[in-house]
Structures are given as structure tokens and as C-alpha cells.
Amino acid sequence: TLFAIAARMMKRFLTILLFVLLLLAIALVAIPLFFEQQAENLFIKKVNSYISTQLLIKDEITLSLFRNFPNASLTLNSVELRESLPNSQRNLLEAKRLTFVFGWADIFRERYVVKRLIIENGKLNLRAFADGKTNYEVFANNSKQPDEQVSLQLKQVDLHEISVNYLHELYRQEAAFVLHSGNFSGNFGSTRYKMLLDADLQVQYCYLYNNNYLPDKKAVLHLDTDIDFDKNLYTFGKSTLQVAGNQFDMEGKVQFLEKISDIDLRINGVNLGATDMLTMLPANSLPESVKKLKSSGVMAFSAQVKGLYSDAQLPGITIQFNLDNGSLQHPDWSLPMQNLQLKGNFTNGYAKTRATSELIVDNLSFVVNNQLVQAKLKLN
């Protein structure tokens, strides 16, 4: 009957399909095993041609067709990269996994084009010293080969659970943070390129000239940056930092010169929490009485920082601020300030010092014990 013929045809089709799937499964298992040693040798040779320090791989190297599907990947496990200081046994980078991602077809062509790199569960230690030496000059100058079988054309680097420690003796900068997840993209083979960075951070500390900014804070960072390593110049398009529930927008540039920084930055904040803003200020810059203040309300501000910054001089600073529907209280006060309104501006003046600084409050009003208080203020 027609039904019996259809049943036999379906049975044959299923048999053929199962046979094809079995062959495919065998092929998918066999391909990595067959090409793994060849790919391993090519990648290790290529990576070593790009770096001038020692690369240690303390565990197996694996080729996978599925880990980063629909792409293939080669993973180096338990990796250590030595820093660039002479005779040093310290590591610049440690990672549980370092993964190169490329297309499936590259395996059969035996020419690998890597456009993505994944670094997982590691540590990055960056150091720059007062004499100008650094520990991160690990890239060799003769990395290009005309007949290369492995081409590192990186467009994206993904980072997961990376602890970063940074020290710059000359600029007196020191920071430590954990990068839970992040990715950045750019033409990393050039000394000048555009970089996009998105990162989810846990900042432990960030010292700049002995002031600790963002102590123990969670932060989300988006940077749109043009980098010129020859000039040590960083130009920011519209970038954002979210910290303690507040978002700050930033544009401008920073150039690191010998012993000084040249800064031209514009920073804006909208709908900021007044209490959180107070906790973000460097702790050693606040009197003990101010640290005890508790506040609420919605704050907005815009700031410009422009000029040279060093241990001996400050850039020009101008700030405009506004606080609506706030409150302020202190343990030593018998009554709190309610319905606090505040509008004003600050500048550190022509000499960019405390002596020429000026704080102007155009409007200050609040309620204490049901009594309205209004004032203006100019403080030099």
C-alpha cells in the first residue's frame, strides 16, 4: 500500500540520516585531534614572534570547534607572561585560559586569522618607574612575516575576572581593581588607534597624588578613546562612568608628559545622589566634621578641568552645581535642614590655588523647625 511504501522510505531516510550524523560526530571529534598539534605549533611560534619576553604554558593546549561556536578556538591553559624588566622572574600577566578565536574554515586552509582574544581568570601587573622604565614593553618589533600562517588581526579582546594592579611612580598613581567582565576593540597592532572599552569593575583603590578616589566602589565604564602612544595622548569621545548609582559623562583629552599631565576634560553629572557624591570624595581631603554629614536630594553638576597637573601644581577647575529637594543633617546638630535648595559655582582662580579659589552660592534655602532660611554666599 501507499502507506507501507512511505513507511519504508521514511525508515531508509532515518537510517541514512543517522549514518550521516554518526559520520559527522566522528569527524567533529577527529578534526581537532588531527589538526591540534599542527595548530599548536603554529600558534606558539606566532605568539613568540610577537613578544620579547618569556611565555610559559603550564597546562595542555586544546583546539575546539564548539567552545566559541560558531567559531573555532585554540586555548592555552595556565599561561604566564614575564614582564619586560631585565632578569626579572615576575609575571606581567597570568591567566587560567588564553583563547584565540578564528573561523572553522581556517582549520582546513591551514591559515588562521585571529580577530578575537579571550583572557579569563587572571592577574595583570603594570608598573612604570621614576626613571621611565616600564614592565609592559613586551611586544617585539619584528612580528610581521610575509608568509605567516597565523595572522593576529585582533579587533576585540574579552576579559573575564582579571585582577589589575597598576603603579606609576613618576605620576604618583596607584590603582587596584577587579575586572569582572569587559571587552575592548581597536587596531591593536598600531601605535595610534581608536579604542572602545566596556567594563564592569570592582575598584579597590585609586590613588592620584596621595588622594584615594573611588575607594571600594563598583563601577561600570564605557570609554570611547583615540590613543596615540607616540605622543602619550588619550582623547576621549563621549564616555561614561557609572559609580555608586550615579552616571558621569566625560569628554576631552589627557596627555602624559615628563613628570606632569596635561588635562582638558569636561565632566557632567545629572540626577546624582547627594549622599553618594559625598562618599566619592577623597577621604583625606574632608574634615572629620564633614565626613559625619548625611544628605539626600538630587544633584546635577558640570565641571571643566584644564591645565597642567603635577605634585606641585593644579589645573584650572570650574564647577557649576545645583541641588534640589535635599536635606542635610549632622550628629552635632539638634535639627536637620529640610527642603534644601542649592545653586552655585566654584573656581580655583587665575593662580589655580586655594588662595585664589572662590565659591559662590547664588541661592541657598532650607527649612529648620518649620522656619525658612534663605541666603547667598561668596567665599574666597
Side-chain angles (χ1 to χ4, degrees), residues 320-335:
Q320 295 181 338
F321 55 87
N322 184 73
L323 174 67
D324 283 327
N325 194 26
S327 67
L328 195 64
Q329 53 185 320
H330 191 279
D332 296 337
W333 298 353
S334 58
L335 294 170

Side-chain angles (χ1 to χ4, degrees), residues 247-248 267-274 277 297-303 319-324 342-344:
Q247 178 170 314
F248 305 89
I267 304 170
N268 295 292
V270 181
N271 296 329
L272 307 175
M277 285 290 295
V298 179
M299 177 177 288
F301 87 97
S302 62
I319 302 173
Q320 295 181 338
F321 55 87
N322 184 73
L323 174 67
D324 283 327
L342 180 66
K343 182 179 180 181

Side-chain angles (χ1 to χ4, degrees), residues 3 19 141 157 161 194 222 231 303 314:
F3 179 78
F19 180 71
N141 295 323
V157 177
E161 299 301 330
K194 183 182 184 68
H222 169 75
K231 296 180 179 179
L314 290 173

Side-chain angles (χ1 to χ4, degrees), residues 105 308 376:
L308 300 179
K376 293 183 178 180

Side-chain angles (χ1 to χ4, degrees), residues 355-379:
T356 60
S357 295
E358 182 178 74
L359 172 66
I360 297 176
V361 177
D362 297 316
N363 176 48
L364 170 63
S365 66
F366 56 88
V367 175
V368 176
N369 196 24
N370 296 321
Q371 296 296 316
L372 176 64
V373 179
Q374 292 179 302
K376 293 183 178 180
L377 171 71
K378 183 175 181 180
L379 177 64

Side-chain angles (χ1 to χ4, degrees), residues 47 192 326:
V47 171
R192 183 175 182 179

